[in-house]
Amino acid sequence: MLRKRSRLIAAPIAAVALTLTVAGYQASASGGTAASGASGASGREAAAPVPCLAGATTLVGDLDGDGRPDKISNPGHTGTRMTVQWGAADGSFGTEHSVGKLLGAKPGEVATAAVADFQQDGTLDMVVNIVKPSGVDDPATARVADYRPGPLKRANLGSARTRHLDIGDSREVKQLRIANYGDDAYPDLAILNNAGDGVWDREVRLTKPGSGPGRYDSDQQYKYGEHGTPAEPPAMPGDGWKRFYQACTA
């Protein structure tokens, strides 16, 4: 029987990003310096391009910090089939790369990721979880569970400021999704887990300004979490990006 602690807040909030065209986004990026935050000839820092949505499951934003927009696709919003295309100087996007392969997932492992500008500094960040599913009721522990603030390296999505995130320590992560539980400008994290004993649950990690997603908090979990089963899993947010980023307009 489905056991629910609470439901997601369904009321929409105002988006915090300005609507802009992809072309305008690319023009602002190519007109800047080689890296986000680097100083130009005037001595002033180049403004980071503003992320926008090129579709319900496609986010355009600067992931590697070079001041150019990259394209992140997240089919089904689950984070398990995410891909990235790096932006070029001419405004085009390169070859599609599997995020799982870039992260170095081994055979039999599942890599799950969530992307957003968690710190609202203009560069996209990533939460990653890599686990080899147990295949049974008991949850497997994650081999990798990180918050990786941008900019990220193209070769392996590494970050100079990577820190461990406690999302895969006691539960087996099935999905990672962007959500807005704090009703503010900072994206939060929703995690679908195999909690063991026939229970699947939705855990949450609310973002703290300047530091990204926080640790497990029992009060937040009681307020925003939910329990279910594999047959009746807890509801997961499907519009997380839309709550923070507007559409790239033609």
Side-chain angles (χ1 to χ4, degrees), residues 24-44:
Y25 186 140
Q26 293 168 342
S28 68
S30 61
T33 56
S36 176
S39 296
S42 64
R44 292 178 296 181

Side-chain angles (χ1 to χ4, degrees), residues 124-197:
L124 295 174
D125 314 309
M126 182 177 286
V127 172
V128 303
N129 187 92
I130 302 176
V131 64
K132 185 174 183 178
S134 66
V136 295
D137 188 53
D138 293 334
T141 301
R143 178 172 67 84
V144 177
D146 293 336
Y147 168 55
R148 301 185 179 188
L152 304 185
K153 297 178 181 179
R154 289 192 175 195
N156 60 5
L157 300 176
S159 168
R161 297 178 290 152
T162 294
R163 65 172 169 84
H164 175 71
L165 196 60
D166 63 350
I167 58 174
D169 292 351
S170 61
R171 286 165 165 76
E172 184 180 304
V173 172
K174 295 294 186 181
Q175 296 181 14
L176 292 174
R177 300 196 184 209
I178 301 301
N180 185 4
Y181 297 114
D183 196 23
D184 56 22
Y186 297 91
D188 303 310
L189 193 64
I191 309 109
L192 178 64
N193 294 313
N194 169 14
D197 296 328

Side-chain angles (χ1 to χ4, degrees), residues 3-211:
R3 305 192 303 276
K4 297 184 179 179
R5 292 184 180 175
S6 64
R7 294 189 177 276
L8 290 171
I9 297 174
I13 65 167
V16 299
L18 298 176
T19 303
L20 74 166
T21 66
V22 174
Y25 186 140
Q26 293 168 342
S28 68
S30 61
T33 56
S36 176
S39 296
S42 64
R44 292 178 296 181
E45 290 189 349
V50 179
C52 63
L53 290 174
T57 60
T58 303
L59 181 65
V60 176
D62 187 9
L63 190 61
D64 61 356
D66 64 357
R68 301 168 186 161
D70 306 304
K71 183 184 290 186
I72 300 96
S73 297
N74 185 21
H77 300 285
T78 64
T80 58
R81 295 184 292 149
M82 186 176 289
T83 61
V84 60
Q85 293 171 262
W86 302 112
D90 63 1
S92 64
F93 298 102
T95 303
E96 190 173 76
H97 298 278
S98 162
V99 166
K101 289 184 178 180
L102 290 175
L103 290 172
K106 300 176 182 179
E109 291 184 330
V110 176
T112 311
V115 171
D117 185 0
F118 288 100
Q119 298 191 35
Q120 290 296 315
D121 60 3
T123 302
L124 295 174
D125 314 309
M126 182 177 286
V127 172
V128 303
N129 187 92
I130 302 176
V131 64
K132 185 174 183 178
S134 66
V136 295
D137 188 53
D138 293 334
T141 301
R143 178 172 67 84
V144 177
D146 293 336
Y147 168 55
R148 301 185 179 188
L152 304 185
K153 297 178 181 179
R154 289 192 175 195
N156 60 5
L157 300 176
S159 168
R161 297 178 290 152
T162 294
R163 65 172 169 84
H164 175 71
L165 196 60
D166 63 350
I167 58 174
D169 292 351
S170 61
R171 286 165 165 76
E172 184 180 304
V173 172
K174 295 294 186 181
Q175 296 181 14
L176 292 174
R177 300 196 184 209
I178 301 301
N180 185 4
Y181 297 114
D183 196 23
D184 56 22
Y186 297 91
D188 303 310
L189 193 64
I191 309 109
L192 178 64
N193 294 313
N194 169 14
D197 296 328
V199 175
W200 280 27
D201 67 12
R202 182 183 71 232
E203 279 195 337
V204 302
R205 298 293 187 277
L206 271 64
T207 296
K208 298 179 180 179
S211 63

